[in-house]
Amino acid sequence: MIKKIGRNFILETKNTIYIFKLLPNGYLGHLYYGDRFDEKIFQNIKSNIRRTGNTVEYSDDFPYSLEDIPLEYSTYGKGDIKEPLIVIRNYDGSNTSDFIYDSYEIVKEKSKLETLPSSYNCDEQLIINLVDKYYNLKLQLFYSIFYESNVIVKSCKLVNNSDKTIKIEKFNSSLIDMHNKTFTITSFFGNWGNEMNKHQIKLTAGKYVISSYTGSSSNRNNPFFMLSDDDTSENKGECYGFNLVYSGNHYSSIETTQLQRTRIVQGINSENFEFEINPNEDFETPEAVLTFSSCGFNGISKNMHYFINNHIIRENFKNKIRPVLLNSWEAFYFFFTEEGLLELAEKGQEVGVELFVLDDGWFGNRKNDQSSLGDWYVNQDKLPNGLNGLCNEINALGLKFGLWVEPEMVNVNSDLYRVHPNWAMNINNKKHSEGRNQRILDIINPEVSEYILNSLKRVFNSCNISYVKWDFNRIFSDVYSPYLKDRQKETSHRYYMSLYKIMDTLVNEYPDILFEGCAGGGNRFDLGILCYFPQIWASDKTDALDRLMIQNGYSYGYPLSSYTCHVSICPNHLTRRTLPLKTRFDVACFGNLGYELNLNLLDESELEEIKKQIEFYKKHRELIQFGQFEREEYENGIKWSILKEDQKIEMIYHNDTQTTEIRLNGEKYE
Ligand code: GLA
């Protein structure tokens, strides 16, 4: 799968091939990425070096400009002026780097990243070692092959072998220069309750950037995007898919040059980023995920879905069916009693729900969103018998029990803040801008992450918890870590290094708890979170017609088993729209199904209908959650289909009548 033939490095997956070449000056030139075909044809591909007037020649021995060569990595200062892979502020103040090929290695097992989440079970990994001998720095490029998924995962590491401290100012995970090619980009933007809007534009000149600066991967611009030929459709045409295993500020740029080449970089957003590397220290980038298909956008979805289900979702939940849940939020918001919760759970049990989730409001003195985040002990007024008392009753009904938490946050009005104001991200003596009346904890401080871990362990040990919904309801502002002092530009990245450590500890200590990520819906829907939490609440928007578009957007890059979809009450709490129960189910059915409404407000016939829906879902959920999903072309709306062995399920939305239907093996399900 990975070969070195002559000076060429050849990486193959089932249907794709990726080739780069060791150039005479010790740099690596990119040759080809795309459909797999006979190797001999490859070796004839010229590296396509052109010489133009006012460029800079690399050296006397290599009188070409790096600007004109399709590269595999790039730095500042030696002639290439496009977006670089890495920018280092050397100890002498310069930012020129000159990394030259040193050696390579092919390994079977890829090691996990030490500071960030990683994909696992690759087929082979290529490690390229490059050295900047002037500054004694080593740059490693990692390429992991996921043969069946047609995915190549790339990441990098910088090792400081010198005796001087340096600063990284920019470090992307992947750089690739496509030959003689320009693209149409498909990206996914949005905001709260309106995630994953598909957007397409033809890239002709200049730089197109997809990035986030919210302190999360964000609902503004999801890190997943595709580059295709102009006429690529759902089922036909060439397409590349890209994503990043990272939950913080991300950055991808697609730069179309005057030579009709396209440079694509993906990585950490370098805005307000800088990282100090002392002698013998290193820095690793998040993993970038690349895939290619000649079978249109559905080809990319198929590759990404397979890859995520098999190499991102942790082993314990890999291809494991997800329970039908009932969530208390839209039923009660903050205003519940133990009795009310139990009445709701009983109704849930009657209609076939498997898991009861107590959402926000169960802890501290929480009556609204203005207090108590950080105080992770049970509110005895609402739950006089504690979590254990409630959980036992729920379990006695035959239901599993789950709980909402938002551990990264603190309200100023909380016991935690009163005792430890310096545990929050606060700039000394400055007024802080709050989101949802809350601030972000400085989890880089080990004392703070220890507090979070201990508080959560206490809660998880207090009763028989099967599921945890982990929320994150605001974006970063006033970014400042009191703990980091004079290394503030490391804050955003170190935040995620700490968060991943916390998540890793918890999923290892509680391997059977099903964690669901959430960030006011999809404000942190990414592969970093999915490495720990197998599913994510896709959006706070539960209105079925709006949800159709949101779920359609997610489906391009993420498998159905990764997003949760709830049937809620009508009129919908956000849109005030009334839609039939059937429409609400038909849409929610294409994902991990849940209910989020007060079942006690429904009449018998509605309850009966829900019972049938859940029965239907349970019977076919393996097909739905793990079958092969496709978007079919349908002029009058949306058509989704899922195939597994001889089973096929379809959801069709008709624009003209605003109605939905589900078909099972061609038969209409009423
Ligand atoms: C966020 C979530 C909701 C709910 C509330 C609770 O908005 O997206 O589903 O959990 O928080 O405060």
Side-chain angles (χ1 to χ4, degrees):
M1 272 163 279
I2 300 179
K3 288 179 262 184
K4 182 168 182 287
I5 301 182
R7 297 174 77 87
N8 291 333
F9 289 92
I10 302 174
L11 287 66
E12 288 169 305
T13 70
K14 199 171 182 180
N15 303 315
T16 72
I17 192 156
Y18 185 115
I19 307 186
F20 57 91
K21 179 181 190 136
L22 178 55
L23 301 172
N25 67 340
Y27 272 60
L28 298 173
H30 182 78
L31 286 188
Y32 179 84
Y33 181 34
D35 218 339
R36 180 178 166 170
F37 52 91
D38 193 343
E39 279 161 30
K40 280 186 228 96
I41 302 174
F42 283 92
Q43 282 153 22
N44 292 336
I45 294 180
K46 299 243 166 30
S47 65
N48 206 355
I49 299 174
R50 300 183 216 177
R51 301 184 67 182
T52 48
N54 57 1
T55 54
V56 172
E57 290 178 2
Y58 176 74
S59 67
D60 292 346
D61 303 342
F62 190 74
Y64 302 101
S65 172
L66 294 180
E67 186 183 351
D68 296 338
I69 304 174
L71 293 168
E72 202 48 36
Y73 65 90
S74 173
T75 58
Y76 272 149
K78 299 306 289 177
D80 182 37
I81 38 67
K82 298 188 288 305
E83 186 81 40
L85 181 80
I86 185 165
V87 179
I88 299 164
R89 187 62 55 185
N90 296 305
Y91 69 87
D92 57 9
S94 74
N95 73 347
T96 291
S97 295
D98 195 15
F99 285 101
I100 303 294
Y101 175 83
D102 176 69
S103 57
Y104 82 99
E105 197 186 339
I106 296 171
V107 293
K108 273 270 158 227
E109 298 279 316
K110 107 193 216 310
S111 30
K112 278 179 144 190
L113 298 189
E114 280 166 35
T115 56
L116 297 168
S118 335
S119 51
Y120 63 93
N121 265 353
C122 73
D123 293 289
E124 253 178 341
Q125 187 185 53
L126 169 67
I127 306 166
I128 300 274
N129 299 309
L130 308 159
V131 172
D132 183 339
K133 66 173 194 290
Y134 298 104
Y135 295 107
N136 216 355
L137 303 174
K138 176 157 112 174
L139 174 62
Q140 292 186 296
L141 311 180
F142 299 91
Y143 298 80
S144 305
I145 301 302
F146 294 85
Y147 190 82
E148 277 299 317
S149 322
N150 289 306
V151 159
I152 296 177
V153 165
K154 293 170 70 177
S155 69
C156 310
K157 187 181 197 172
L158 184 80
V159 187
N160 184 359
N161 287 327
S162 77
D163 54 4
K164 308 267 187 344
T165 296
I166 53 157
K167 283 182 179 161
I168 296 175
E169 293 183 349
K170 185 193 283 264
F171 201 175
N172 283 304
S173 305
S174 164
L175 178 150
I176 179 168
D177 274 335
M178 300 286 199
H179 284 264
N180 299 328
K181 234 176 168 8
T182 57
F183 294 102
T184 288
I185 184 163
T186 308
S187 61
F188 298 87
F189 73 107
N191 50 36
W192 175 70
N194 179 27
E195 292 84 349
M196 295 301 277
N197 291 272
K198 184 175 126 190
H199 176 256
Q200 289 187 310
I201 189 165
K202 181 163 173 50
L203 305 177
T204 49
K207 219 182 252 185
Y208 191 87
V209 170
I210 297 164
S211 69
S212 77
Y213 194 45
T214 52
S216 63
S217 50
S218 95
N219 48 21
R220 286 31 171 208
N221 283 298
N222 193 274
F224 169 71
F225 65 98
M226 299 185 287
L227 295 177
S228 63
D229 288 343
D230 303 344
D231 54 356
T232 294
S233 61
E234 289 292 359
N235 292 312
K236 279 201 207 96
E238 298 209 332
C239 190
Y240 296 84
F242 301 85
N243 209 337
L244 197 66
V245 187
Y246 193 54
S247 313
N249 295 331
H250 63 87
Y251 177 91
S252 294
S253 97
I254 302 93
E255 192 173 352
T256 312
T257 73
Q258 69 283 12
L259 298 176
Q260 291 302 296
R261 292 201 188 114
T262 301
R263 169 165 296 180
I264 302 135
V265 303
Q266 303 158 261
I268 297 172
N269 193 339
S270 58
E271 187 73 34
N272 196 20
F273 168 87
E274 184 180 86
F275 222 92
E276 202 171 285
I277 314 288
N278 292 314
N280 299 319
E281 285 182 354
D282 58 46
F283 182 92
E284 52 190 9
T285 70
E287 294 187 337
V289 178
L290 289 82
T291 189
F292 169 83
S293 173
S294 51
C295 303
F297 304 126
N298 276 319
I300 295 298
S301 304
K302 186 178 157 203
N303 293 350
M304 286 295 190
H305 291 192
Y306 186 90
F307 172 71
I308 294 170
N309 277 332
N310 291 284
H311 303 287
I312 290 285
I313 302 301
R314 66 196 159 94
E315 294 271 13
N316 248 30
F317 285 92
K318 186 162 150 177
N319 297 317
K320 192 164 165 194
I321 55 163
R322 308 295 160 74
V324 177
L325 65 78
L326 175 60
N327 179 298
S328 68
W329 181 240
E330 286 200 22
F332 299 128
Y333 294 101
F334 296 102
F335 317 108
F336 55 81
T337 58
E338 186 188 74
E339 209 187 336
L341 292 173
L342 286 172
E343 274 172 23
L344 180 61
E346 262 169 52
K347 270 278 161 1
Q349 188 270 339
E350 280 167 33
V351 294
V353 156
E354 296 160 304
L355 163 70
F356 182 81
V357 179
L358 173 54
D359 209 280
D360 196 352
W362 60 267
F363 51 90
N365 191 26
R366 186 90 162 160
K367 295 191 178 84
N368 50 40
D369 63 14
Q370 289 168 20
S371 85
S372 304
L373 287 171
D375 300 342
W376 300 110
Y377 45 83
V378 74
N379 181 316
Q380 294 283 346
D381 291 341
K382 294 188 196 177
L383 300 174
N385 298 305
L387 282 176
N388 194 32
L390 175 69
C391 176
N392 286 342
E393 295 285 337
I394 303 273
N395 286 168
L397 289 169
L399 299 183
K400 292 186 167 170
F401 179 65
L403 202 60
W404 178 96
V405 292
E406 193 175 3
E408 298 157 71
M409 300 288 172
V410 65
N411 288 114
V412 167
N413 184 6
S414 66
D415 292 345
L416 180 65
Y417 191 87
R418 279 184 280 275
V419 180
H420 295 291
N422 61 335
W423 279 12
M425 286 216 191
N426 282 327
I427 310 173
N428 274 342
N429 308 321
K430 295 248 162 41
K431 232 176 153 206
H432 194 95
S433 298
E434 295 194 339
R436 213 191 188 206
N437 311 301
Q438 62 199 51
R439 302 188 186 184
I440 299 179
L441 285 170
D442 181 13
I443 59 174
I444 301 163
N445 180 346
E447 276 186 317
V448 178
S449 49
E450 201 53 31
Y451 171 82
I452 292 177
L453 276 171
N454 289 337
S455 312
L456 292 180
K457 285 183 196 174
R458 207 177 328 109
V459 172
F460 298 170
N461 292 339
S462 72
C463 63
N464 182 23
I465 285 190
S466 305
Y467 161 106
V468 169
K469 176 175 170 188
W470 184 299
D471 216 332
F472 173 86
N473 266 307
R474 60 158 294 177
I475 62 168
F476 283 46
S477 71
D478 306 82
V479 179
Y480 189 88
S481 157
Y483 179 77
L484 275 182
K485 299 194 177 74
D486 58 350
R487 290 171 72 164
Q488 289 303 321
K489 283 187 157 187
E490 299 180 11
T491 303
S492 303
H493 184 63
R494 281 196 184 275
Y495 183 89
Y496 280 94
M497 288 164 63
S498 299
L499 180 65
Y500 291 139
K501 230 188 204 167
I502 294 173
M503 289 175 164
D504 196 54
T505 308
L506 290 171
V507 299
N508 285 321
E509 275 189 40
Y510 301 89
D512 297 326
I513 291 184
L514 170 62
F515 284 87
E516 176 164 326
C518 177
N523 196 31
R524 205 164 58 181
F525 199 113
D526 59 70
L527 299 182
I529 297 296
L530 286 173
C531 280
Y532 305 99
F533 301 170
Q535 57 190 47
I536 302 177
W537 176 226
S539 176
D540 278 352
K541 181 71 76 61
T542 53
D543 176 292
L545 295 194
D546 289 352
R547 257 293 181 134
L548 263 176
M549 296 316 295
I550 294 171
Q551 289 172 217
N552 199 59
Y554 280 116
S555 77
Y556 281 89
Y558 302 93
L560 273 66
S561 57
S562 70
Y563 46 89
T564 46
C565 312
H566 296 175
V567 171
S568 63
I569 203 90
C570 273
N572 183 275
H573 288 182
L574 285 185
T575 62
R576 309 308 302 161
R577 179 156 46 195
T578 295
L579 291 165
L581 187 49
K582 173 177 166 44
T583 312
R584 286 176 269 155
F585 169 74
D586 287 357
V587 176
C589 175
F590 272 61
N592 297 326
L593 177 69
Y595 287 78
E596 188 171 333
L597 72 176
N598 191 346
L599 295 172
N600 289 307
L601 301 179
L602 304 187
D603 61 30
E604 276 311 311
S605 71
E606 288 171 309
L607 289 172
E608 204 40 48
E609 193 175 337
I610 290 183
K611 200 172 171 180
K612 288 207 180 105
Q613 294 174 345
I614 295 179
E615 254 169 46
F616 175 86
Y617 184 80
K618 284 181 181 165
K619 203 162 159 204
H620 303 292
R621 70 177 138 186
E622 211 165 338
L623 164 69
I624 295 168
Q625 293 172 357
F626 300 106
Q628 193 174 309
F629 174 88
E630 273 191 12
R631 291 163 306 274
E632 292 182 19
E633 312 267 3
Y634 179 46
E635 268 172 28
N636 182 29
I638 285 183
K639 202 167 177 183
W640 296 329
S641 73
I642 312 175
L643 266 176
K644 196 163 194 224
E645 287 141 28
D646 56 347
Q647 296 287 304
K648 181 174 184 179
I649 188 163
E650 292 160 287
M651 199 295 303
I652 307 158
Y653 168 69
H654 309 284
N655 256 339
D656 49 0
T657 53
Q658 295 208 329
T659 54
T660 52
E661 59 178 279
I662 284 193
R663 287 175 183 272
L664 186 68
N665 301 323
E667 297 278 315
K668 220 168 172 175
Y669 163 74
E670 297 293 347

